[in-house]
Amino acid sequence: MVIPKPNKPDYGVAKAYRVITLLNCLGKVVEKVEANAIAEECERRRLLHDGQFGCRKRKSAIDSVGRLMKRVAEEWGRGNTAVLLMDIKGAFPHVAKGNLIKRMEEMGFEADLVRWVESFMEERKVIMLMDGKEGDSMEVEMGVPQGSPVSPVLVVIYLLGLFGQVDVKEKECGSEGISFVDDVTWVVEGEDVGECTQRLERCAAETTIWAKKNACRFDIEKTEAMLFTRRRKNKEPKMKARVKVGNHEVPSNTEATRWLGVWLDNMLTLNDHTKKTLAKARKAQNRVRSLMTKKGISSEGCKRIQVAAVQAVALYGSELWWHGQENRAQEVQKLLNEQGRRVTGCFMTTPQGALMNDAGLRPAKALLNNRVRRYKLRQMMMPDAEGGGKMLEVQRNVLQRVEWIDELIPEDKPFERRSYERTTLPMDKRRLKGEVIIQEEEQALSEAKLEREGLVLWTDGARKEDEWVGCAVVWKEEGRWNKRRSQGRREG
């Protein structure tokens, strides 16, 4: 099915339309199972590049932007950092079956998975539907259907060779590749702008060579370059540098650049991103306003609409800029107050605490702190080798253990207080120094009777079917036994 893209100046060109593949629903179930099997194999054996974030568990678009910001922040003070943003033109339709199968065999996938992928890409036919008119049936010899659950992970595997080629050729210049599915970014550092430009051009040249060998093309119109620097002296001439990509010259953006939905400025303040997301959220608020006044929608339904259509837009990327700033929290709170009035129908003079409580909405600081904690939790769950240690760090003052709204609810009404988040995070990522021994029960009991030097801890844990987890730790100190017990459940 061919659908026109919104707000395009000329609908007489093919790129003004988006092709959506309508597939059999039962077939999608099988494809989803295979997609999970392939993705789990990649994660278990660490087959993918550290910089590939698309279609991977606990690796979102925000995580990839956080990694880019961390890399830039580390180089500030030592030199300049430049990036080249590239987008593969028609990544899904240009996956060559032979190259993909060869790459999966080189990566050591099981023969059954390789044969399934080969069968999935064989004997495929397509019928184009545009403006209600069906075309003739055509055979498809190349590409994967955009809309299939297994297609994104196959594209990620197909693009793995690109990172390997550039890393080998440009290892001495310290370039790093970061991607989210078909959005590829090259990051380089240099003492001056000229050195950064030369290194980006070398990365672009290797990318072009790989693309020609693998039947891919990069959209030059979507290719952008950007220089990050905190040096204000002679800043304007530096921002006019151009990067040669093939036969084209890409100018460096002087304004904020949008990448994966986040507006990045050359000093990474994200002020432009905050303004744009709040403005976009207010427009969404105006669009859903009529739904709030129609009969038949409960207050709970109104709240869900507000959270899904407005809050999600306003808070996108807040993990990267929230450090406890009062002015930004106030701007978000104004939007939340308007949401509360739309959900409850209260007046403008309604106290903020009662308004948030009756609407079932979290205050701004609680929402922002919660998103930062979830971001930090994802970071702590990833080994450093997979990029967890390379993601943007967050400030300690927003990693509180439990969020309350005590300041909004009067002290004489404690029954109205709500705990909004119970995620606990350590202030520092500490590693246990010592020997970790995992044994069976009988062997552990016999080992526990032996005398050992220093502090020795014994621990055990189990999870029930209702998600509750219990654990206990015992240790002997100065001839005296001590113990600690804990029980909890992961909050949804």
Side-chain angles (χ1 to χ4, degrees), residues 20 27 34 65 72 110 184 189 194 232 234 326 345 389 406 420 448 475-476:
I20 302 298
E34 294 297 329
V65 179
V72 174
E110 296 181 1
V184 181
E189 299 89 23
R232 299 182 181 274
N234 299 327
E326 287 293 334
D406 292 358
Y420 283 105
W475 69 95
K476 193 174 183 179

Side-chain angles (χ1 to χ4, degrees), residues 249-478:
E249 289 189 350
V250 180
S252 298
N253 292 345
T254 56
E255 304 294 335
T257 303
R258 186 174 182 266
W259 185 56
L260 300 180
V262 179
W263 292 88
L264 301 172
D265 55 276
N266 52 35
M267 298 186 69
L268 292 184
T269 61
L270 298 189
N271 291 331
D272 294 272
H273 175 76
T274 307
K275 294 177 182 178
K276 291 179 182 295
T277 51
L278 286 176
K280 190 176 180 180
R282 294 188 186 97
K283 292 181 179 179
Q285 176 76 277
N286 295 331
R287 288 194 294 268
V288 302
R289 181 178 298 177
S290 59
L291 295 177
M292 305 295 103
T293 58
K294 290 185 178 180
K295 297 181 180 180
I297 301 180
S298 63
S299 58
E300 179 64 23
C302 293
K303 187 193 79 171
R304 291 184 178 182
I305 294 175
Q306 290 286 347
V307 171
V310 182
Q311 277 191 20
V313 176
L315 300 179
Y316 182 77
S318 58
E319 302 93 327
L320 306 174
W321 56 257
W322 172 245
H323 306 303
Q325 306 97 313
E326 287 293 334
N327 58 337
R328 295 191 178 183
Q330 292 175 2
E331 291 294 326
V332 176
Q333 188 61 53
K334 291 179 182 179
L335 180 66
L336 295 175
N337 293 342
E338 178 66 20
Q339 287 185 311
R341 286 189 286 268
R342 295 300 173 186
V343 172
T344 61
C346 294
F347 296 105
M348 295 282 293
T349 55
T350 305
Q352 179 180 331
L355 180 64
M356 292 289 101
N357 186 66
D358 292 345
L361 298 173
R362 301 184 182 186
K365 289 185 178 180
L367 279 173
L368 294 167
N369 287 343
N370 177 48
R371 293 181 72 95
V372 170
R373 277 194 304 273
R374 291 171 61 186
Y375 169 83
K376 182 66 176 180
L377 186 60
R378 292 199 307 273
Q379 179 180 358
M380 296 177 64
M381 292 173 67
M382 288 191 294
D384 291 346
E386 292 186 358
K390 298 181 180 179
M391 289 166 58
L392 184 68
E393 295 290 340
V394 296
Q395 299 294 329
R396 292 186 178 184
N397 60 345
V398 295
L399 295 180
Q400 291 119 5
R401 291 174 175 267
V402 181
E403 278 298 335
W404 295 85
I405 51 173
D406 292 358
E407 69 277 7
L408 302 179
I409 301 298
E411 295 184 358
D412 58 345
K413 296 181 179 181
F415 56 88
E416 293 186 358
R417 299 184 184 182
R418 300 179 182 181
S419 60
Y420 283 105
E421 187 62 36
R422 297 185 181 275
T423 304
T424 59
L425 295 176
M427 304 305 286
D428 294 310
K429 186 176 180 180
R430 300 178 181 177
R431 296 185 180 274
L432 179 64
K433 296 182 179 180
E435 183 181 5
V436 180
I437 304 175
I438 303 176
Q439 298 174 330
E440 298 295 335
E441 182 179 0
E442 295 182 359
Q443 187 178 1
L445 290 174
S446 61
E447 290 285 342
K449 298 177 182 179
L450 302 177
E451 292 291 335
R452 296 177 181 269
E453 296 182 358
L455 178 63
V456 182
L457 305 176
W458 288 268
T459 180
D460 183 26
R463 186 179 68 178
K464 299 180 180 179
E465 294 181 357
D466 58 359
E467 298 283 331
W468 281 91
V469 177
C471 61
V473 178
V474 295
W475 69 95
K476 193 174 183 179
E477 188 175 10
E478 297 181 356

